[in-house]
Every structure is written in structure tokens, then in C-alpha cells.
Amino acid sequence: MSSRAPLDHVVAGSGPGLVLIHGTGADATSNWGGLIDLLRDRYTVVAPNLPGAGATATDPAPLDLDDLADRVVATARAAGLDRFHLAGHSIGAVVATAVAARHPGAVTSLALHAGWLRTTPREAFMFDLWARLLRTDPGLLARELILAAMGPGLLGALDEEQFAEMAAGFTAMLDDRVLGQIELDSRVDLREAAGRVTAPTLVVASADDRIVPTHHQRELAAAVEGAEYVELPGGHGLPFEDPALLFTLLADYVDRRQALEPAR
């Protein structure tokens, strides 16, 4: 395993291990706070902050998926977990897939929301736009992310004041520290790694995802042997848009997989 230090992280609860990896521009609590609250009564939940989030320093070198996978496992071990269920959202789903491929003995089950197997030119073009907007004005990127990440149901229900409040909230999460995550987004290729995943896997897509459309999740599910595929209504930002819907599904899946584990 890499000698890289554990990531800054949130830890809560007790019981079997569960590790949660956040998406680009978010952090452990903004992405997963509701799920942590839902499961802390029966799991030891560890939620790392990727470089540029929380107190995890940015890396001067481009982020490396294998290195991040090692750091996630080091973080889990620092919290006392040798084996754990693993869930990720967006780039967190990509990192989680890399963890499961690189450290198969550590992962009890895998749940991936809004992940992707390989960045195509369309997504690379979009991520380059994100980086340009972030360097120009984080408020502009916040507006772009709201329109792209949220589903039509939520966007159609917001009034002007709610749009402004959401834009302010997103802007507060975005600064130059996120650029390394965006750069990683632009060059994902899990085609070889996905074939090495042995953990039971659930791949979750959002039907109205305009950032990473559902064909990417179908491709990811097809690349992981035996993976289950589920599609939910909503956009890419489902953890923010309808957390109850996504978190209930993930909690049920983890509980179902844990019930199959032999007593220790």
C-alpha cells in the first residue's frame, strides 16, 4: 500500500465499517451528512475529504487514482477499519471503484452513484469549462453547476430567491482548491480496473443526469462483473436534490449486504 498519509475525514458511530467518498467540489459532510446520520447507529462511518476538500491539502502534482485509493484505505485503517462497505458519488464513485479494484480484500460491498468508466471528449470539454469558470468567477461555475446538476423537477419548483440562495451555497464551496479534482475528472479511465472489482456492486444512475448521463453508469455496471443497476429520478446532484431518495436506497443496500456477512 502507498505510504501516503490518511486523508482528513469525518468518523461517526460504531459497528461494521462504511466509507463514503464525496463528489467534485463537495466535502464529506455536505455530500454525506444525511447518510452519516441515517447509519451511524449501526455502522462506523468514515467519510474522507479528497485533496482540496476539508482540511486535506491540495496536491501540487496531478491527482492519481491509485494513490487516492491507497489514501482512502489508509484513512479507513486510521479509523480502525480493516474491511468496510464503500460508497461514492460522482468522482467519489470513480475513486471507490479504484479502491475496490486495488484493495479487493478490504471492500465488503460497493455502491456507486453517478460514476463513470471513462471520460469522453464531451465530458472533458465540460470539465475544462468548469475549470475556466472557476478561475474566472466561482459564482459563474456555481450557476452552471445548479443548472446542470439538478433535475428538472427541482429546477422547475425553485423561485428567484431560492435560486439565489442555492447559488450562494454552491459558490461558498468552490475555490481554486477544487481545480485538482476537476483535472482528475477530465482523465478518468477505469476500463482495466473495473474488471478487477470482486465486491458485490450496486451502480446507481440519475435519470436526468446531464453531467454524467446514464449511458456512463450502464457502461460502468457492464464492466463490473455481476453489478446491479438501478435508475432513480433526478439529476447528477441527487445527494443535494433528494437526499432521502438516494440515501434510503444506499442504506438498504448496505444493510442487505451486511446481513449476508458471516458473524465475527
Side-chain angles (χ1 to χ4, degrees):
M1 191 179 73
S2 167
S3 62
R4 294 295 297 272
L7 300 157
D8 173 51
H9 60 281
V10 173
V11 60
S14 61
L18 170 63
V19 174
L20 305 173
I21 309 178
H22 66 81
T24 303
D27 61 24
T29 51
S30 66
N31 200 144
W32 296 117
L35 187 57
I36 293 170
D37 290 342
L38 188 62
L39 291 176
R40 64 190 299 164
D41 67 328
R42 55 194 186 276
Y43 294 93
T44 300
V45 186
V46 177
N49 283 306
L50 297 176
T56 303
T58 56
D59 197 321
L63 295 178
D64 178 79
L65 270 180
D66 285 345
D67 181 65
L68 282 178
D70 291 347
R71 295 190 72 185
V72 167
V73 173
T75 305
R77 298 266 161 81
L81 303 180
D82 289 324
R83 200 157 178 264
F84 46 84
H85 301 277
L86 180 59
H89 161 69
S90 192
I91 193 62
V94 170
V95 175
T97 305
V99 172
R102 192 166 167 83
H103 300 276
V107 179
T108 307
S109 73
L110 184 62
L112 309 170
H113 174 251
W116 66 103
L117 190 69
R118 178 178 64 92
T119 301
T120 69
R122 172 202 173 270
E123 288 81 46
F125 187 82
M126 175 185 62
F127 295 136
D128 179 66
L129 172 62
W130 288 10
R132 290 167 185 255
L133 289 173
L134 182 55
R135 291 188 181 101
T136 303
D137 180 350
L140 294 179
L141 177 56
R143 288 169 177 257
E144 159 64 17
L145 289 177
I146 289 166
L147 293 173
M150 301 305 169
L154 177 64
L155 292 176
L158 296 176
D159 61 26
E160 291 182 10
E161 183 177 350
Q162 290 169 319
F163 269 112
E165 290 174 355
M166 187 175 289
F170 271 54
T171 302
M173 292 193 298
L174 298 169
D175 58 40
D176 285 353
R177 299 176 74 228
V178 180
L179 285 169
Q181 297 175 29
I182 296 174
E183 194 275 334
L184 176 61
D185 291 337
S186 71
R187 52 181 173 80
V188 167
D189 190 344
L190 291 170
R191 286 176 292 180
E192 187 275 330
R196 292 188 279 113
V197 174
T198 57
T201 300
L202 174 68
V203 176
V204 184
S206 291
D208 299 307
D209 194 333
R210 292 188 295 276
I211 291 178
V212 186
T214 57
H215 69 86
H216 285 283
Q217 287 88 58
R218 293 192 188 97
E219 185 179 23
L220 180 58
V224 176
E225 185 175 356
E228 300 177 46
Y229 175 83
V230 174
E231 200 167 295
L232 298 176
H236 185 85
L238 200 59
F240 306 91
E241 177 183 344
D242 194 345
L245 178 65
L246 177 62
F247 294 168
T248 298
L249 176 75
L250 294 179
D252 288 348
Y253 179 72
V254 172
D255 284 342
R256 175 158 54 96
R257 297 311 317 182
Q258 181 58 35
L260 298 174
E261 283 293 291
R264 294 178 180 269

